[in-house]
Amino acid sequence: MAALVRLRAGDNLGPARTAADRLLHAPDEGPAGAGARTGGGVGAGGSGGARAGISAPARGLDGLPAAWHEALASAYAAAAEPRYGPVAEWAAVGPYRLLTGLTSLTGLTAPPPGGDAAEAPVRDGAAAPDPAVRRLLEPAHRELAGTAEVFLDRAGQAGRTAAELGIHRQTLYYRLSRVEQLTGLDIHDGADRLLLHMSLKAARLTHSWPP
């Protein structure tokens, strides 16, 4: 579902967020809210685990196609990353602005409400994981993949990563060495680090990881 919300000030998305909240809690046959809605995802908020996205403000009808893409992409980002909450704004979804531009949104799917990500197949339109990270994304290596994601999210700062994960630094270094062994990537190389980070985020977006 989607809806247009008239803003009195372009820098105040409060009315759009209010409408999106109503959309999330409305029955499927009820009135739509702001932006776009997608089912599934992990975390609280919304009816049946639904998520909503809000585009950047648009002027005139010519901007509606881009606004629709931004709202839908933001909703998928909210389903992929619980930290964005049930309603995500286009300006706040970081790397997913790039990833959703590289992936056909029609190829994405979301887990059924209350279901696991592993139950949601990736459609033909969604990109397959890069061969280098395919083994890392297997269920048996979930802890290693999660460690790598936190490490990269924290800009490679070992102290912050270890503290967030509640592990000793030596444990962190061991896990990262295992990540390098599984992927053949060097986490100290900028290009390899970018590939690993974007691959993990793309896997979240397509619900192929975490299992």
Side-chain angles (χ1 to χ4, degrees):
M1 293 189 289
L4 299 176
V5 177
R6 184 176 182 179
L7 303 176
R8 293 183 179 275
D11 59 348
N12 179 17
L13 293 176
R17 181 167 286 275
T18 298
D21 287 334
R22 291 176 180 171
L23 169 64
L24 287 176
H25 294 89
D28 289 341
E29 67 275 15
R37 182 174 108 170
T38 178
V42 181
S47 173
R51 298 293 183 266
I54 299 175
S55 73
R59 290 182 177 274
L61 297 179
D62 291 344
L64 291 184
W68 166 249
H69 170 84
E70 291 174 3
L72 185 60
S74 299
Y76 275 112
E81 290 271 11
R83 64 191 173 95
Y84 291 137
V87 180
E89 297 178 12
W90 176 248
V93 296
Y96 292 100
R97 294 199 298 270
L98 172 64
L99 290 173
T100 53
L102 299 175
T103 302
S104 170
L105 294 181
T106 59
L108 299 179
T109 187
D116 295 329
E119 298 175 14
V122 179
R123 298 177 187 166
D124 292 340
D130 187 90
V133 301
R134 195 166 291 153
R135 287 186 62 198
L136 182 63
L137 296 176
E138 293 174 355
H141 303 305
R142 177 173 183 168
E143 184 177 66
L144 293 177
T147 297
E149 184 183 34
V150 174
F151 177 74
L152 295 169
D153 283 348
R154 299 297 170 264
Q157 297 182 34
R160 290 180 62 194
T161 303
E164 181 167 333
L165 294 174
I167 59 177
H168 193 276
R169 280 200 186 200
Q170 288 304 118
T171 302
L172 171 63
Y173 295 142
Y174 170 75
R175 290 184 186 178
L176 293 176
S177 69
R178 289 283 294 125
V179 169
E180 290 183 318
Q181 292 171 11
L182 283 170
T183 62
L185 300 175
D186 180 357
I187 62 171
H188 300 292
D189 178 84
D192 282 1
R193 183 180 290 199
L194 178 62
L195 173 60
L196 178 58
H197 205 183
M198 289 296 96
S199 294
L200 290 170
K201 296 304 183 186
R204 278 192 178 276
L205 188 64
T206 60
H207 298 289
S208 57
W209 180 82

